[in-house]
Amino acid sequence: MNYQYMHNPLGMAGLYISYGHVGAVSEKAGKYGTSHLMEHMICKNTDDMRDRLQANGIYANAFTGTDKVVVFVTGLADRLKIFAQEFVEKLIGPIDAITEEQFLNERRTVLNEYGDNFIDPSSVALYNAMRKHFGCYLAIGREEDIKAFTFDDYKKSYNEVFNKPDSIIYIGPEDPHLAIPVYPSVTGMPNTYKYTENSGEEIVPVPENGRSQYIIFPKEPVDTLHAASAASAFKMLASGLNSP
């Protein structure tokens, strides 16, 4: 694990715990969307801190990307440093206190979030395009795979991957000198998405009475030098008259 301290002279601070080798890029068939579920579950260990964090103006959240899961807390530096060590210890600590009922409740929450992604027709168009042309389910995953993920799967995934962060980064006016265990650094898998005319992946029905939208993807990677221009062109082509 790579612990980094970045000096920031302002009074605000942030603590970021990142897990590599997870997310949509690393997920195999049958496990699509389980990194997002694991994001929810690893945060359960810190639930008993939520009231204290909120009372001290500290904001806690997490997100799942295509190649990582990140848990973070931000707030005033003099308050955050009080809780930083405890937060990390709970996050990477044992999971004995988590019950199967808590797991099932959190799985239902993730499944509800999954359904929310398919209410808006433009979101459906994006997710279907990624499935059809790249065979990629993004971080939201696949409903059947999330439903099939069991309490035992959660414990196995935690013990093998999610109790060992890839990196911890603290940004603030002073280093809190966290006493954290050191693990070998984990290198995330490279993006291996390949464009195809039709990958054969399942398509989600578009909601009735929704508006049409075309999602356009370049078949070849865009050079960094032209990335900003390509992004602007993409937004205009994809959003039409709604484009900024």
Side-chain angles (χ1 to χ4, degrees):
M1 181 170 58
N2 181 14
Y3 173 69
Q4 301 177 40
Y5 164 65
M6 298 183 182
H7 179 71
N8 177 358
L10 301 178
M12 298 296 291
L15 175 66
Y16 302 84
I17 301 96
S18 177
Y19 299 81
H21 209 55
V22 293
V25 174
S26 301
E27 289 174 342
K28 306 297 183 183
K31 299 294 183 181
Y32 296 133
T34 56
S35 292
H36 180 211
L37 176 53
M38 288 302 300
E39 172 216 313
H40 280 242
M41 290 308 303
I42 60 177
C43 291
K44 297 299 293 180
N45 275 348
T46 65
D47 275 359
D48 62 349
M49 295 184 66
R50 297 287 163 158
D51 289 344
R52 286 182 290 146
L53 294 175
Q54 187 173 6
N56 283 273
I58 298 172
Y59 175 71
N61 209 334
F63 66 87
T64 300
T66 56
D67 61 347
K68 65 174 70 69
V69 168
V70 178
V71 182
F72 63 92
V73 285
T74 58
L76 290 171
D78 61 344
R79 302 292 180 88
L80 183 55
K81 68 180 181 182
I82 298 173
F83 300 99
Q85 181 70 51
E86 181 185 359
F87 190 85
V88 171
E89 289 176 353
K90 285 183 176 291
L91 201 67
I92 63 177
I95 57 173
D96 299 341
I98 303 299
T99 66
E100 186 169 8
E101 182 181 6
Q102 287 177 302
F103 167 78
L104 294 175
N105 287 337
E106 210 61 40
R107 190 177 66 180
R108 279 192 290 270
T109 298
V110 171
L111 286 167
N112 288 336
E113 290 182 3
Y114 176 91
D116 291 342
N117 281 285
F118 295 99
I119 294 175
D120 178 64
S122 61
S123 296
V124 177
L126 169 63
Y127 297 134
N128 278 341
M130 291 299 293
R131 294 180 181 199
K132 178 179 179 181
H133 296 304
F134 294 94
C136 172
Y137 284 83
L138 297 175
I140 64 167
R142 185 171 181 262
E143 186 176 23
E144 290 80 1
D145 293 355
I146 300 170
K147 287 180 177 179
F149 198 72
T150 67
F151 186 54
D152 287 338
D153 291 330
Y154 149 66
K155 290 188 289 186
K156 180 180 179 181
S157 182
Y158 184 90
N159 289 326
E160 291 180 353
V161 180
F162 283 91
N163 67 337
K164 302 177 180 68
D166 178 47
S167 62
I168 294 180
I169 302 173
Y170 186 89
I171 304 173
E174 61 180 344
D175 188 347
H177 303 293
L178 299 179
I180 53 179
V182 177
Y183 304 105
S185 181
V186 177
T187 302
M189 293 177 63
N191 190 318
T192 56
Y193 300 147
K194 303 293 184 183
Y195 180 89
T196 63
E197 291 300 327
N198 188 343
S199 70
E201 298 295 325
E202 70 173 67
I203 301 300
V204 177
V206 177
E208 294 182 4
N209 303 319
R211 64 184 179 89
S212 299
Q213 178 168 337
Y214 292 95
I215 304 297
I216 302 168
F217 295 96
K219 291 189 177 182
E220 299 295 332
V222 177
D223 185 83
T224 304
L225 178 64
H226 307 294
S229 298
S232 298
F234 171 84
K235 290 182 182 297
M236 288 191 289
L237 288 169
S239 300
L241 294 177
N242 291 325
S243 169

